[in-house]
Coordinates of all heavy atoms in Angstrom, one line a residue:
S862 N -179.7 -98.1 102.2 CA -179.5 -97.4 103.5 C -179.5 -98.5 104.6 O -180.2 -99.4 104.5 CB -180.6 -96.4 103.8 OG -181.8 -97.1 104.1
E864 N -178.9 -99.5 109.0 CA -178.6 -99.2 110.4 C -177.5 -100.1 110.8 O -177.7 -101.4 110.7 CB -179.8 -99.5 111.3 CG -181.0 -98.6 111.1 CD -180.8 -97.4 112.0 OE1 -179.6 -97.0 112.3 OE2 -181.8 -96.8 112.4
A887 N -176.3 -94.0 105.6 CA -176.6 -94.2 107.0 C -178.1 -93.9 107.2 O -178.4 -92.7 107.0 CB -175.8 -93.4 108.0
E888 N -178.9 -94.8 107.5 CA -180.4 -94.5 107.6 C -180.7 -93.4 108.7 O -181.5 -92.6 108.5 CB -181.2 -95.7 107.8 CG -182.7 -95.5 107.7 CD -183.5 -96.7 107.6 OE1 -183.0 -97.8 107.2 OE2 -184.7 -96.7 107.9
N889 N -179.9 -93.5 109.7 CA -180.1 -92.5 110.8 C -178.8 -92.0 111.4 O -178.8 -90.9 112.0 CB -181.0 -93.1 111.9 CG -182.5 -93.3 111.5 OD1 -183.1 -92.3 111.1 ND2 -182.9 -94.5 111.5
K892 N -177.6 -88.4 111.2 CA -178.5 -87.2 111.4 C -178.1 -86.5 112.6 O -177.4 -87.0 113.5 CB -179.9 -87.8 111.5 CG -180.5 -88.3 110.2 CD -181.9 -88.9 110.4 CE -182.3 -89.5 109.1 NZ -183.5 -90.4 109.3
P895 N -178.9 -87.9 116.5 CA -178.0 -89.0 117.0 C -176.5 -88.6 117.0 O -175.8 -89.1 117.8 CB -178.3 -90.1 116.0 CG -179.2 -89.6 114.9 CD -179.7 -88.3 115.3
H925 N -176.0 -88.5 104.9 CA -177.5 -88.2 105.0 C -177.7 -87.9 106.5 O -177.5 -88.8 107.3 CB -178.3 -89.3 104.5 CG -179.8 -89.1 104.8 ND1 -180.6 -88.4 103.9 CD2 -180.6 -89.5 105.8 CE1 -181.8 -88.5 104.3 NE2 -181.9 -89.1 105.5
A926 N -178.2 -86.8 106.9 CA -178.5 -85.6 106.2 C -178.0 -84.5 107.2 O -178.3 -84.6 108.4 CB -179.9 -85.4 105.9
W929 N -182.1 -81.3 108.7 CA -183.5 -81.7 108.4 C -184.4 -81.1 109.4 O -184.4 -81.6 110.6 CB -183.6 -83.2 108.4 CG -184.9 -83.8 108.1 CD1 -186.0 -83.1 107.5 CD2 -185.4 -85.1 108.3 NE1 -187.1 -83.9 107.4 CE2 -186.7 -85.2 107.8 CE3 -184.8 -86.3 108.8 CZ2 -187.5 -86.3 107.8 CZ3 -185.5 -87.4 108.8 CH2 -186.9 -87.5 108.3
L932 N -187.5 -83.3 111.3 CA -187.3 -84.4 112.3 C -185.8 -84.5 112.6 O -184.9 -84.0 111.9 CB -187.7 -85.7 111.6 CG -189.1 -86.1 111.7 CD1 -189.3 -87.4 110.8 CD2 -189.6 -86.5 113.1
S933 N -185.5 -85.1 113.7 CA -184.1 -85.4 114.1 C -183.4 -84.1 114.4 O -182.2 -84.0 114.3 CB -183.4 -86.1 113.0 OG -182.4 -86.9 113.5
D970 N -176.3 -85.1 101.6 CA -177.6 -84.4 101.6 C -177.4 -83.3 102.6 O -177.5 -83.5 103.8 CB -178.7 -85.4 102.1 CG -179.1 -86.4 101.0 OD1 -178.9 -86.1 99.8 OD2 -179.5 -87.5 101.4
N973 N -182.4 -81.6 103.9 CA -183.3 -82.6 103.6 C -184.7 -82.1 103.8 O -185.0 -81.4 104.8 CB -183.1 -83.8 104.6 CG -184.1 -85.0 104.2 OD1 -184.2 -85.4 103.1 ND2 -184.7 -85.5 105.2
E974 N -185.6 -82.3 102.8 CA -187.0 -81.9 102.8 C -187.3 -80.5 103.2 O -187.9 -80.3 104.2 CB -187.7 -82.9 103.8 CG -187.6 -84.3 103.3 CD -188.3 -85.4 104.2 OE1 -189.2 -85.0 104.9 OE2 -187.8 -86.5 104.2
N1021 N -182.2 -82.8 99.1 CA -183.0 -84.0 99.0 C -184.4 -83.8 99.3 O -184.7 -83.1 100.3 CB -182.4 -85.0 100.1 CG -182.7 -86.4 99.9 OD1 -182.7 -86.9 98.7 ND2 -183.0 -87.1 100.9
E1022 N -185.4 -84.3 98.5 CA -186.8 -84.0 98.8 C -187.6 -85.1 98.4 O -187.3 -86.0 97.6 CB -187.2 -82.7 97.9 CG -188.5 -82.2 98.2 CD -188.8 -81.9 99.7 OE1 -188.5 -80.7 100.1 OE2 -189.3 -82.8 100.3
N1023 N -188.8 -85.2 99.1 CA -189.8 -86.3 98.7 C -190.9 -85.8 97.9 O -191.2 -84.5 97.8 CB -190.2 -87.0 100.0 CG -191.2 -86.2 100.8 OD1 -192.1 -85.6 100.3 ND2 -191.0 -86.3 102.1
Q1055 N -186.3 -88.6 96.7 CA -186.4 -89.7 97.6 C -187.0 -91.0 97.1 O -186.5 -92.1 97.1 CB -187.1 -89.2 98.9 CG -186.3 -88.2 99.7 CD -187.0 -87.9 101.0 OE1 -188.0 -88.4 101.4 NE2 -186.4 -87.0 101.7
H1057 N -190.3 -92.5 98.0 CA -191.1 -93.4 98.8 C -192.4 -93.6 98.1 O -193.4 -93.1 98.5 CB -191.2 -92.9 100.2 CG -190.0 -92.8 101.0 ND1 -189.2 -93.9 101.3 CD2 -189.2 -91.7 101.4 CE1 -188.1 -93.5 101.9 NE2 -188.1 -92.2 102.0
T1061 N -195.6 -91.2 99.7 CA -195.5 -89.8 99.6 C -195.4 -89.4 98.1 O -194.3 -89.4 97.6 CB -194.3 -89.2 100.4 OG1 -193.1 -89.8 99.9 CG2 -194.4 -89.4 101.9
E1090 N -183.9 -92.7 98.1 CA -184.6 -93.4 99.1 C -185.7 -94.3 98.6 O -186.9 -94.2 99.1 CB -185.2 -92.4 100.2 CG -184.2 -91.5 100.8 CD -184.7 -90.6 101.9 OE1 -185.8 -90.9 102.4 OE2 -184.1 -89.6 102.2
D1092 N -188.4 -97.0 97.8 CA -189.1 -98.1 98.2 C -190.5 -98.0 97.7 O -190.9 -96.9 97.3 CB -189.1 -98.4 99.8 CG -189.5 -97.2 100.6 OD1 -190.0 -96.2 100.0 OD2 -189.3 -97.2 101.8
W1132 N -184.3 -97.6 100.3 CA -184.3 -97.2 101.7 C -184.4 -98.5 102.5 O -185.5 -98.9 103.0 CB -185.4 -96.2 102.0 CG -185.1 -95.4 103.2 CD1 -185.8 -95.2 104.3 CD2 -184.0 -94.5 103.3 NE1 -185.2 -94.3 105.2 CE2 -184.0 -93.9 104.6 CE3 -182.9 -94.2 102.5 CZ2 -183.1 -92.9 105.0 CZ3 -181.9 -93.3 103.0 CH2 -182.0 -92.7 104.2
Y1138 N -186.5 -105.0 107.8 CA -186.1 -103.8 108.5 C -186.6 -102.5 108.0 O -186.0 -101.5 108.2 CB -184.5 -103.8 108.5 CG -183.9 -105.0 109.0 CD1 -183.3 -106.0 108.2 CD2 -184.0 -105.3 110.4 CE1 -182.7 -107.1 108.7 CE2 -183.4 -106.4 110.9 CZ -182.8 -107.4 110.1 OH -182.2 -108.5 110.6
T1139 N -187.7 -102.5 107.2 CA -188.1 -101.3 106.6 C -188.7 -100.3 107.7 O -189.4 -100.7 108.6 CB -189.2 -101.6 105.6 OG1 -189.8 -100.3 105.2 CG2 -190.4 -102.4 106.1
W1140 N -188.4 -99.0 107.4 CA -188.9 -97.9 108.2 C -190.5 -97.9 108.2 O -191.1 -97.4 109.1 CB -188.4 -96.6 107.8 CG -189.0 -96.1 106.5 CD1 -188.7 -96.6 105.2 CD2 -190.0 -95.1 106.3 NE1 -189.4 -95.9 104.3 CE2 -190.2 -95.0 104.9 CE3 -190.7 -94.3 107.2 CZ2 -191.2 -94.1 104.4 CZ3 -191.7 -93.4 106.6 CH2 -191.9 -93.3 105.2
V1141 N -191.0 -98.4 107.1 CA -192.5 -98.4 107.0 C -193.1 -99.2 108.1 O -194.2 -98.8 108.6 CB -193.0 -98.9 105.6 CG1 -194.5 -98.7 105.4 CG2 -192.2 -98.1 104.5
S1143 N -191.2 -100.1 111.1 CA -190.7 -99.7 112.4 C -191.2 -98.3 112.7 O -191.4 -98.0 113.9 CB -189.2 -99.9 112.5 OG -188.6 -99.0 111.5
F1144 N -191.2 -97.4 111.7 CA -191.5 -96.0 112.0 C -193.0 -95.7 111.8 O -193.6 -95.1 112.7 CB -190.6 -95.1 111.1 CG -190.7 -93.6 111.3 CD1 -190.2 -93.1 112.5 CD2 -191.3 -92.8 110.4 CE1 -190.3 -91.7 112.6 CE2 -191.4 -91.4 110.5 CZ -190.8 -90.9 111.7
L1145 N -193.5 -96.1 110.7 CA -194.9 -95.8 110.5 C -195.9 -96.9 111.1 O -197.1 -96.7 111.2 CB -195.2 -95.8 109.0 CG -194.5 -94.6 108.2 CD1 -194.9 -94.7 106.7 CD2 -194.9 -93.3 108.8
Ligands
9MR1290 O1 -186.0 -94.6 108.0 C1 -185.7 -93.5 108.9 C2 -186.4 -93.9 110.3 O2 -185.7 -95.0 110.8 C3 -186.3 -92.7 111.2 O3 -186.9 -92.9 112.4 C4 -186.9 -91.4 110.6 C5 -186.7 -90.2 111.4 O4 -185.3 -89.8 111.6 O5 -186.3 -91.2 109.3 C6 -186.4 -92.2 108.4 O6 -185.8 -91.9 107.2 C7 -186.3 -90.8 106.5 C8 -185.1 -90.1 105.8 O7 -184.1 -89.8 106.7 C9 -185.6 -88.8 105.1 N1 -186.7 -89.1 104.2 C10 -187.8 -89.9 104.7 C11 -187.3 -91.2 105.4 C12 -188.4 -92.0 105.9 O8 -189.1 -91.3 106.9

Side-chain angles (χ1 to χ4, degrees):
S862 74
E864 287 279 27
E888 186 165 339
N889 288 303
K892 288 175 185 168
H925 174 85
W929 180 14
L932 276 173
S933 212
D970 287 333
N973 185 48
E974 299 176 29
N1021 199 43
E1022 187 52 89
N1023 74 39
Q1055 291 187 4
H1057 295 293
T1061 55
E1090 302 184 18
D1092 52 13
W1132 207 239
Y1138 302 109
T1139 171
W1140 73 284
V1141 184
S1143 61
F1144 185 68
L1145 296 182

